[in-house]
Amino acid sequence: MHPLNHPLFLQYIIHFNDEKDYFECHEVGEEYWKQIAPKDKTHPLTGWIQLAVGMYHWRRSNYPGALRSLIRAKPKLAEAGIWTEGFDQQQLTRLLTESIQGVTDREPFEHRDLPLVPGELVQAIEERKQQYLAPAHDEYYLMHKHRLRDRSEIIALRQQKKRRNL
């Protein structure tokens, strides 16, 4: 199987293009990255994750966070070989460049779809969509998702780590 046809990456694209849920892009992207390249922060999947994080921050008007993430994503996706097959590379580079410029100029957030080219990846996405029922979320929820989700597990892990460090 082509690595971009992995169910988690297909879900990333659906979250990005259809739902505009960049937080979930980050979640599924990170899950996939941990499966195939844990701790390799130069892996192209980290570029995809950083792209989603940049869009999430931009939507929230966190311009410094958006800029940092998008700038880090651009070189990782520029020469990513197999990890950008099925995408129009020129359009992907333009998406990143224009997003970086928009954030730099502090323009209001504007969603941009990932530029897919017709072929195997698009077909795999369509098949995945048939197996998946997208949740309905309003703009406020998508913008503040990291604060609105159940964080009890994260808080418990942080407290456990603090106790170990004492």
Side-chain angles (χ1 to χ4, degrees):
M1 169 188 1
H2 191 288
L4 297 186
N5 287 352
H6 189 282
L8 289 171
F9 194 78
L10 297 175
Q11 202 61 50
Y12 174 98
I13 297 169
I14 293 167
H15 288 314
F16 198 103
N17 282 0
D18 296 352
E19 299 170 23
K20 295 149 187 63
D21 189 342
Y22 311 114
F23 185 85
E24 287 304 318
C25 290
H26 167 269
E27 295 292 296
V28 298
E30 189 172 85
E31 184 179 343
Y32 187 26
W33 171 68
K34 285 179 178 179
Q35 288 178 14
I36 63 164
K39 299 185 179 159
D40 179 0
K41 294 187 178 184
T42 63
H43 192 280
L45 268 176
T46 63
W48 288 111
I49 294 165
Q50 288 165 330
L51 170 58
V53 170
M55 299 302 271
Y56 185 79
H57 284 309
W58 186 12
R59 177 189 273 157
R60 300 187 77 248
S61 299
N62 175 356
Y63 295 105
L67 189 59
R68 191 170 35 252
S69 296
L70 293 168
I71 286 172
R72 289 178 179 160
K74 190 174 180 183
K76 292 176 185 167
L77 296 176
E79 306 266 338
I82 189 172
W83 292 97
T84 54
E85 286 179 5
F87 293 91
D88 181 317
Q89 186 65 51
Q90 186 176 13
Q91 292 293 329
L92 181 60
T93 301
R94 182 177 300 135
L95 179 151
L96 283 155
T97 301
E98 290 175 357
S99 296
I100 289 168
Q101 190 61 54
V103 169
T104 300
D105 295 343
R106 297 196 183 265
E107 294 174 3
F109 170 76
E110 180 183 321
H111 171 78
R112 293 162 165 84
D113 277 346
L114 297 174
L116 298 162
V117 294
E120 185 180 327
L121 183 57
V122 170
Q123 182 180 349
I125 292 165
E126 291 305 317
E127 290 170 10
R128 178 76 180 164
K129 283 182 190 179
Q130 292 174 4
Q131 305 164 3
Y132 171 73
L133 180 61
H137 296 303
D138 63 24
E139 186 71 21
Y140 181 85
Y141 181 77
L142 291 174
M143 185 181 294
H144 302 290
K145 195 168 189 177
H146 74 286
R147 292 183 178 178
L148 299 173
R149 72 190 194 285
D150 179 8
R151 300 185 71 237
S152 55
E153 190 175 315
I154 295 166
I155 292 167
L157 286 172
R158 283 184 186 161
Q159 289 173 341
Q160 185 180 24
K161 189 175 181 180
K162 281 182 185 178
R163 283 192 293 270
R164 276 188 266 147
N165 291 335
L166 292 177

